[in-house]
Amino acid sequence: MSQHPVRAFLAGTGDDGAGRRLTDILAFDDAHIEGVHDFVQWCFPLHEASLAVPGAPVLSRAEAEAIRNDPAALSGVRAALGRMTRFYAETDGWLRAHDHNHLRITRILSALSDLLGPEAAAEFHAFVTARNAGAGAPINAASLDYWASALRRA
């Protein structure tokens, strides 16, 4: 039986909806991370459909369980997390009142909670909230509330 497309993508053996491998996305420079809007849904899949990217994968409960039990797919999630953490550490454009990256961060937190566990999500949450605080807390309260809610849903 073949792997579900998102699981194969995360495991490094499949392509996303645009024909890219995870290694291609991990190699994106910061401008590509900022400007390309259809990769985050593959790196951090959720159980609900994306409003921003129609046709993005929707994770079933069974597929989430399969990813949680697949060391290669989990390694892919961790690699994607590492790349996004580096992006948020090295760039400041998202540190403003409203930015599309705030939605990405909510997605990342939700996917981490589901696939890697609440500790991984809490660690990423601590990182992005510390970056916000260090920048003078420019991010709007609603985005911060969504981030906190993503942790509570875990």
Side-chain angles (χ1 to χ4, degrees), residues 29-119:
D29 62 18
D30 289 343
H32 275 84
I33 294 287
E34 179 61 34
V36 177
H37 298 281
D38 64 349
F39 72 90
V40 173
Q41 295 78 7
W42 283 84
C43 293
F44 303 99
L46 299 179
H47 295 280
E48 55 268 352
S50 169
L51 298 176
V53 180
V58 177
L59 204 57
S60 70
R61 291 191 194 291
E63 190 54 30
E65 185 65 25
I67 290 169
R68 285 191 291 271
N69 290 312
D70 182 339
L74 291 176
S75 178
V77 174
R78 287 185 192 98
L81 173 60
R83 178 63 188 101
M84 293 308 292
T85 299
R86 195 171 87 236
F87 172 77
Y88 292 125
E90 296 175 353
T91 64
D92 294 332
W94 62 281
L95 292 165
R96 56 185 172 194
H98 299 281
D99 189 83
H100 72 101
N101 280 290
H102 303 172
L103 295 173
R104 286 178 167 181
I105 290 168
T106 303
R107 169 179 281 276
I108 292 167
L109 288 165
S110 295
L112 291 177
S113 292
D114 185 26
L115 300 175
L116 296 183
E119 299 83 13

Side-chain angles (χ1 to χ4, degrees), residues 133-148:
I139 296 174
N140 71 81
S143 290
L144 298 174
D145 287 345
Y146 279 115
W147 297 355

